[in-house]
Amino acid sequence: MEETDWERKELEKGRKLFYGFLGVIFLIVSGTVIYRHSLHQHLKNNPRSAILTRDDPMENRKIRTLLLPSESNYSTSINFNNDATLYFRCTGSYPEAVLATKRIMSNGRIRLKWDEGKVEYFAWAISNTHEALFVPDPKDFVSKVLNHKKLMVSFTPFSSNEEFAEFRLDDEKGIGTISFKDDLKTMKSFCF
């Protein structure tokens, strides 16, 4: 059975639509990947940003966030993209300190080492997504961050070996001449 010109044109039109649709999907996916990569690179190249502020329309309050990406990571497993980020957040007058690991956590066991001091052991609460750990006493944690130069954190992702992240607390500069610790002191005045 031979195709008619009309059927051939319809098939060709269908192929063009299909490939056009695939092209749009490709552009969306590649754009998302490029955006996330550029955001990640921006955070690596500019690890300090001003305190991010947004409004909570339900409660008529401000939500302020300051983040500190890890300086260096020591992977003991196959995954080499194990960078972690410390978030300091004030929701109104409620303080939170969170370690976002970008990995599924198996438990909340944490080891901390401030500067060259002794290792401390803790159990932190795991988020619903299992990718973040909540500091149980954020006010005490912020006080320690303000009084030290370096923090080493170890955590255990699901089905993986222990991972390590190092946070430099003193060396980093923010926008202009404002340091991370200056930003954290400002955050402390809001809720910590």
Side-chain angles (χ1 to χ4, degrees):
M1 182 171 225
E2 284 187 35
E3 295 177 351
T4 64
D5 285 338
W6 180 81
E7 289 172 333
R8 200 171 308 122
K9 286 180 183 178
E10 288 299 313
L11 280 172
E12 196 173 301
K13 188 197 279 184
R15 282 188 200 124
K16 286 180 182 179
L17 282 172
F18 176 72
Y19 288 124
F21 178 74
L22 283 179
V24 168
I25 297 296
F26 174 76
L27 288 174
I28 290 170
V29 169
S30 62
T32 303
V33 169
I34 290 169
Y35 171 76
R36 291 193 66 170
H37 177 73
S38 67
L39 181 62
H40 181 73
Q41 284 304 112
H42 174 75
L43 290 176
K44 279 200 172 286
N45 296 335
N46 305 295
R48 299 298 161 273
S49 61
I51 296 168
L52 306 172
T53 304
R54 65 183 177 96
D55 292 321
D56 179 354
M58 300 295 286
E59 302 285 333
N60 292 330
R61 61 185 175 190
K62 300 279 186 198
I63 299 172
R64 294 176 175 92
T65 307
L66 176 67
L67 56 96
L68 175 65
S70 58
E71 181 70 24
S72 55
N73 304 293
Y74 306 96
S75 181
T76 57
S77 66
I78 246 170
N79 183 9
F80 295 105
N81 294 323
N82 65 328
D83 53 337
T85 305
L86 282 172
Y87 285 84
F88 302 93
R89 184 169 46 213
C90 292
T91 305
S93 61
Y94 180 74
E96 288 180 308
V98 180
L99 174 69
T101 61
K102 300 178 188 163
R103 304 279 305 276
I104 302 295
M105 301 301 295
S106 63
N107 58 53
R109 288 192 298 261
I110 290 288
R111 292 190 308 152
L112 302 179
K113 183 176 177 182
W114 299 96
D115 297 329
E116 299 305 322
K118 293 171 63 175
V119 175
E120 301 174 11
Y121 297 84
F122 295 96
W124 290 0
I126 299 177
S127 70
N128 291 340
T129 62
H130 293 271
E131 292 183 359
L133 300 168
F134 290 89
V135 177
D137 187 355
K139 290 183 179 186
D140 181 56
F141 186 75
V142 166
S143 294
K144 287 183 177 180
V145 168
L146 289 171
N147 291 317
H148 291 89
K149 295 181 179 185
K150 183 174 84 170
L151 171 63
M152 287 293 297
V153 179
S154 79
F155 52 90
T156 308
F158 182 73
S159 292
S160 183
N161 297 325
E162 186 177 35
E163 300 285 347
F164 304 91
E166 178 180 352
F167 296 92
R168 304 278 174 147
L169 308 174
D170 246 7
D171 302 338
E172 303 300 330
K173 294 293 181 198
I175 294 175
T177 58
I178 299 172
S179 71
F180 164 73
K181 285 193 175 180
D182 291 336
D183 283 339
L184 190 56
K185 287 175 188 172
T186 304
M187 287 291 287
K188 188 175 181 182
S189 72
F190 293 133
C191 69
F192 285 97

